[in-house]
Amino acid sequence: MKSRLVSCFITFCFLTLTQAIWLDTNNDTTIREDCALIADGILDYYDGYNYGGTIGEFVAPYYWWEAGGAWGSLIDYTFFFENDTYVPLIKQALLYQVGDDNNYIPLNQSTTEGNDDQGFWGIAVMGAAERNFSNPDSDEISWLGLAQAVFNTMTARWDSADCNGGLRWQIFQWNSGYDYKNSVSNGCLFHLAARLARFTGNDSYVEWAERVWNWMYGAGLLTEGNEWFVYDGVKIANNCSNITKYQWTYNQGLMLAGCAYLYNYTEEEKWLNYTKNLLHSSRVFFMNKTGSMVMYEAACQPGYTCNNDQRSFKAYFSRFLGLTSVLVPETEPTINKWLVDSANGAAGSCSGGSDGHTCGLSWTNWTVGWDGLYGLGEQMSALEVMQNLMSTKRPAPYTANDGGSSKSHPASGYGTTKANAQPLSLDGGDKAGAGIITAVIGISIIGCGVWLIL
């Protein structure tokens, strides 16, 4: 991994041998060149091609879910700039982590994986399908089929027993957070359903999207009125009445872009209105700096409390804004303004490290330059906000009817993996048998001890 020592604390002052970020948001060539530098920096945190590394995973402390997010970023990079440099690496990573049932519950994650974790890998392969990313070599697997597998296994975990619906944060009951139903898990399902509906033309996905939307609204995770916010989640205790009212960019983006996909596909007025209202309320994530609207993570950046996960949220928000601007063209003027201002801020922050283009977290005071923070999340976020300036300059996400080549496998994902961990039901015979086995083992241990003493 490259050294991340600061090379200079003054804006635009770099070591002689480094290459700096000089962004011209009106010049596709400079956007391309800057994004190439930043994309390369993402792989500073990847060790999957080296001995001892795991294919598809990034180095600690970055969790598995964020790898799904990063590969999604690089899929868009290859599409926006028609650059195949990373295609073999991305394909290898996406296919290595599918798991035995091709549903992104691999054995190395199967005891700790959450619904949101699986969802972000599903969104990555959905993006691969929509961007006509290089297809897998085997006909038995496809990017679309993998996204359908994630959708199928997530819907199988829909929990109507508590709070009349919704997905829990965690898949398995022994993990902390199993008693929490959060917006990112449900938002991933809503978002994925909307994209599958548009790609396949199958209205059953619309029905699921509406089910998730209605549940989130009923649970108080979606608010309406003057402001349309998406709150973090609810504990299942007391019928999900205790709402955690943190707001995160990626939750807002999941719901915003999901509504945009649904409007683009169904042309129903309600999805257009939801899109416009969610976009309007997204202003909470932009700081007005002398007329420039610069993106920031409002819940943690002001207090410098963003953890490694939260430092990547702006990446997905930027991606979802770019998609929304294409799918609902009337949103493009507002979104373009936000992306241009934020990309300029991000470019100013990408002035750190020994390479001169390591990106920081804060974009709101770009004249200061790099803020001394660095990591996978910072690098991804800068890449996404800059490369999404190309959103309206390249074709819209493909569908099966307009050039999308990924094949449908609508029943994929089901296999031998237990979908949800429930308490074991033990009868008297089970307990008696367990007692006998315990007694035998105990006698054996005592016998071995006596033998050792003699």
Side-chain angles (χ1 to χ4, degrees):
M1 184 182 296
K2 298 177 184 175
S3 170
R4 297 289 173 176
L5 297 176
V6 60
S7 55
C8 189
F9 288 103
I10 303 174
T11 305
F12 305 130
C13 175
F14 303 99
L15 294 174
T16 305
L17 296 180
T18 63
Q19 186 172 353
I21 299 295
W22 298 88
L23 183 66
D24 179 353
T25 56
N26 294 313
N27 187 318
D28 293 356
T29 299
T30 63
I31 295 172
R32 177 191 301 271
E33 291 171 351
D34 291 346
C35 286
L37 293 173
I38 298 170
D40 184 63
I42 285 177
L43 295 177
D44 288 351
Y45 304 96
Y46 183 63
D47 206 26
Y49 34 53
N50 294 325
Y51 181 79
T54 302
I55 296 171
E57 291 188 41
F58 285 73
V59 298
Y62 304 108
Y63 293 118
W64 182 77
W65 82 272
E66 198 167 335
W71 299 122
S73 297
L74 291 174
I75 287 168
D76 275 358
Y77 172 81
T78 67
F79 177 78
F80 286 139
F81 303 111
E82 301 176 270
N83 184 332
D84 293 340
T85 302
Y86 302 123
V87 167
L89 188 67
I90 298 168
K91 283 183 70 173
Q92 181 191 46
L94 293 177
L95 295 174
Y96 189 83
Q97 291 289 336
V98 295
D100 290 342
D101 298 324
N102 292 336
N103 58 13
Y104 287 106
I105 306 181
L107 286 176
N108 62 328
Q109 300 295 325
S110 60
T111 59
T112 59
E113 185 174 340
N115 279 302
D116 52 343
D117 304 333
Q118 185 190 23
F120 267 86
W121 283 84
I123 290 170
V125 288
M126 190 71 235
E130 293 173 340
R131 301 303 195 188
N132 260 351
F133 187 74
S134 177
N135 288 310
D137 296 331
S138 171
D139 291 336
E140 297 179 0
I141 195 169
S142 70
W143 305 130
L144 178 60
L146 289 170
Q148 290 169 314
V150 171
F151 171 85
N152 289 339
T153 50
M154 290 181 79
T155 55
R157 294 191 290 269
W158 186 259
D159 173 34
S160 296
D162 290 292
C163 311
N164 301 311
L167 282 176
R168 294 171 181 262
W169 176 15
Q170 299 296 339
I171 295 174
F172 302 102
Q173 66 175 12
W174 52 74
N175 288 325
S176 177
Y178 184 74
D179 62 344
Y180 194 62
K181 295 189 176 183
N182 58 353
S183 287
V184 64
S185 295
N186 289 280
C188 281
L189 179 57
F190 170 78
H191 183 91
L192 196 54
R195 293 173 76 158
L196 285 167
R198 180 179 176 274
F199 192 98
T200 65
N202 185 336
D203 286 344
S204 65
Y205 292 118
V206 177
E207 294 172 8
W208 259 106
E210 290 181 326
R211 181 180 301 179
V212 179
W213 176 276
N214 291 337
W215 180 82
M216 292 181 68
Y217 178 78
L221 295 179
L222 292 169
T223 68
E224 65 177 355
N226 292 330
E227 300 294 346
W228 286 55
F229 293 142
V230 185
Y231 293 135
D232 184 78
V234 288
K235 289 269 192 177
I236 63 171
N238 301 315
N239 198 33
C240 290
S241 58
N242 185 16
I243 302 170
T244 302
K245 293 188 175 181
Y246 288 118
Q247 295 167 243
W248 303 106
T249 53
Y250 74 158
N251 283 337
Q252 192 86 3
L254 281 166
M255 304 309 293
L256 169 69
C259 290
Y261 270 94
L262 288 168
Y263 174 66
N264 186 273
Y265 171 60
T266 68
E267 299 183 348
E268 288 187 58
E269 195 74 12
K270 68 176 182 180
W271 297 117
L272 174 62
N273 291 332
Y274 295 164
T275 301
K276 292 193 294 186
N277 286 322
L278 284 167
L279 180 64
H280 176 77
S281 298
S282 295
R283 293 169 304 148
V284 71
F285 300 112
F286 292 86
M287 187 177 291
N288 191 332
K289 302 288 288 186
T290 62
S292 294
M293 298 290 285
V294 182
M295 190 187 301
Y296 77 118
E297 198 63 54
C300 63
Q301 264 190 244
Y304 303 96
T305 59
C306 299
N307 62 29
N308 280 318
D309 286 347
Q310 294 155 5
R311 284 152 71 169
S312 73
F313 290 176
K314 290 183 294 186
Y316 322 118
F317 187 43
S318 298
R319 187 193 308 174
F320 299 146
L321 284 172
L323 288 167
T324 300
S325 71
V326 173
L327 296 166
V328 184
E330 67 184 86
T331 67
E332 192 273 337
T334 297
I335 291 175
N336 184 65
K337 162 71 174 170
W338 292 354
L339 290 177
V340 166
D341 291 350
S342 299
N344 280 320
S349 84
C350 293
S351 56
S354 60
D355 57 10
H357 49 261
T358 292
C359 301
L361 178 65
S362 177
W363 306 341
T364 56
N365 194 5
W366 64 271
T367 57
V368 174
W370 183 46
D371 60 7
L373 298 175
Y374 60 87
L376 178 60
E378 288 87 339
Q379 210 72 15
M380 287 168 56
S381 296
L383 175 65
E384 288 277 20
V385 77
M386 291 186 199
Q387 72 183 15
N388 273 284
L389 296 172
M390 303 294 295
S391 292
T392 57
K393 301 176 184 180
R394 295 282 289 133
Y398 294 113
T399 73
N401 294 324
D402 65 8
S405 61
S406 194
K407 303 300 182 184
S408 181
H409 298 286
S412 59
Y414 300 112
T416 57
T417 302
K418 184 68 175 175
N420 209 341
Q422 298 295 333
L424 294 176
S425 177
L426 301 179
D427 59 20
D430 294 319
K431 293 175 181 178
I436 293 171
I437 293 172
T438 302
V440 170
I441 292 174
I443 293 169
S444 299
I445 293 173
I446 295 171
C448 288
V450 172
W451 180 81
L452 289 171
I453 292 171
L454 295 176

